[in-house]
């Protein structure tokens, strides 16, 4: 593995990037279809929460992608020389609504690049701040935590998973079908092959099946919180703890917590895949 020069990578701190895209009726219809949401979509209507993850995404030529389907290293994000990249967690503050027909604009900034040591070796964390605007209005402030790690060596013993956790007072089962994962990859223009290419996910990265997107799990938890309370949360934070695969159903869970909701994604074996908190 190429040596990780953290001083070089930290030179990316402070870099900014902007992107914009119109919030079309067609995009919202596809988003709603993906998550089995019903109802008419008209210009000027409030768009569903977390739709911003499907807008103004990088659109590099196919020839510019790496072997895993991600954009090749470098550019806006630092060129971390570790092959496995995942969304580790984040936090969002919703200050206003995205409206159908407006232009969504995202201003991104690299806040920090840090190196830590984990059970599997070096972990490089990149923290990115996003300011999201719909038309002239600021609508979302978001922090994304991205982690890079080394690939597991062939034949490596599996690390024991998190302990089993009971269901929440509110819970719902989700079937992570291949069409669902493919649709979300298409919505977010995400070429990462672990979400739709079973042979790659299993034979190259060593997973037992397709990996359920972290952003999609976070979106499902926000939508579930909105359904339980009747309105979208004002703040939402989450952390990924373990992967979820398309080999088994998983559940969305929620418990009341001092006026907020404690939320989590529970795998079939009872382990928590993602933990989150929604506040109003």
């Amino acid at each position: 593995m190429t040596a990780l020069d953290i001083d070089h990578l930290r030179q990316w701190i402070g870099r900014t990037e902007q992107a914009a895209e119109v919030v079309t009726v067609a995009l919202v219809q596809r988003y709603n279809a993906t998550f089995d949401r019903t109802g008419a979509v008209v210009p000027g209507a409030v768009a569903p929460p977390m739709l911003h993850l499907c807008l103004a995404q990088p659109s590099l030529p196919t020839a510019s992608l790496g072997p895993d389907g991600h954009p090749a290293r470098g550019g806006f994000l630092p060129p971390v020389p570790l092959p496995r990249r995942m969304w580790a967690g984040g936090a969002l503050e919703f200050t206003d609504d995205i409206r159908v027909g407006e232009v969504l604009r995202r201003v991104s900034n690299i806040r920090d690049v840090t190196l830590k040591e984990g059970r599997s070796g070096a972990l490089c964390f990149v923290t990115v701040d996003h300011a999201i605007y719909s038309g002239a209005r600021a609508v979302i402030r978001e922090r994304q935590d991205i982690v890079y790690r080394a690939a597991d060596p062939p034949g490596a013993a599996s690390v024991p998973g998190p302990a089993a956790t009971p269901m929440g007072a509110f819970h719902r089962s989700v079937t992570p079908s291949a069409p669902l994962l493919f649709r979300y990859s298409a919505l977010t223009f995400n070429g990462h092959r672990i979400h739709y290419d079973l042979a790659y996910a299993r034979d190259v990265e060593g997973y037992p099946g397709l990996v359920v997107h972290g952003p999609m799990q976070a979106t499902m938890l926000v939508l579930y919180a909105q359904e339980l309370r009747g309105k979208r949360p004002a703040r939402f934070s989450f952390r990924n703890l373990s992967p979820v695969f398309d080999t088994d159903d998983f559940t969305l869970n929620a418990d009341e917590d001092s006026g907020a909701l404690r939320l989590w994604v529970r795998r079939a074996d009872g382990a928590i895949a993602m933990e989150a908190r929604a506040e109003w």
Side-chain angles (χ1 to χ4, degrees), residues 32-280:
N32 286 343
T34 299
F35 293 107
D36 294 317
R37 295 164 55 89
T38 58
V41 179
V42 297
V46 174
M50 305 297 277
L51 181 74
H52 71 286
L53 298 178
C54 308
L55 287 151
Q57 296 301 310
S59 53
L60 297 176
T62 303
S64 299
L65 301 180
D68 62 356
H70 269 311
R73 308 298 185 190
F76 171 63
L77 291 173
V80 180
L82 296 171
R84 301 292 183 258
R85 171 184 163 186
M86 295 161 288
W87 216 29
L92 302 98
E93 182 179 358
F94 301 94
T95 57
D96 207 340
D97 295 315
I98 296 171
R99 296 276 176 178
V100 178
E102 293 186 330
V103 174
L104 181 136
R105 181 169 61 94
R106 184 184 68 247
V107 182
S108 305
N109 177 72
I110 305 291
R111 183 201 295 187
D112 202 6
V113 181
T114 59
L115 181 62
K116 298 181 180 180
E117 192 70 21
R119 291 180 301 186
S120 59
L123 299 173
C124 185
F125 289 86
V126 178
T127 303
V128 185
D129 290 327
H130 302 287
I132 312 294
Y133 302 85
S134 183
R137 296 169 298 106
V139 294
I140 300 170
R141 285 192 290 269
E142 178 180 14
R143 186 197 81 237
Q144 286 184 0
D145 302 321
I146 303 168
V147 62
Y148 298 79
R149 66 173 181 84
D152 294 326
S158 60
V159 177
T165 302
M167 296 279 197
F170 308 96
H171 53 268
R172 171 181 296 164
S173 180
V174 177
T175 299
S177 66
L180 172 62
L181 271 59
F182 173 81
R183 280 182 158 198
Y184 192 74
S185 288
L187 274 176
T188 54
F189 206 60
N190 181 356
H192 198 182
R193 293 169 65 182
I194 61 173
H195 304 304
Y196 62 85
D197 185 340
L198 178 58
Y200 174 86
R202 184 181 54 210
D203 301 337
V204 177
E205 298 215 10
Y207 294 121
L210 297 176
V211 180
V212 179
H213 313 66
M216 185 170 72
Q217 294 177 55
T219 295
M220 288 179 171
L221 289 177
V222 171
L223 293 175
Y224 193 40
Q226 177 177 263
E227 179 182 328
L228 291 173
R229 285 294 178 86
K231 60 180 180 179
R232 65 156 171 76
R235 290 169 298 280
F236 177 79
S237 58
F238 69 96
R239 186 164 65 106
N240 280 314
L241 299 179
S242 62
V244 178
F245 306 103
D246 71 337
T247 50
D248 293 291
D249 290 358
F250 61 88
T251 55
L252 309 176
N253 295 266
D255 277 341
E256 294 286 348
D257 184 15
S258 303
L261 282 178
R262 185 173 70 88
L263 301 135
W264 65 99
V265 172
R266 182 181 185 271
R267 302 189 324 199
D269 62 2
I272 295 180
M274 176 180 288
E275 61 181 8
R277 181 178 176 84
E279 299 175 307
W280 283 264

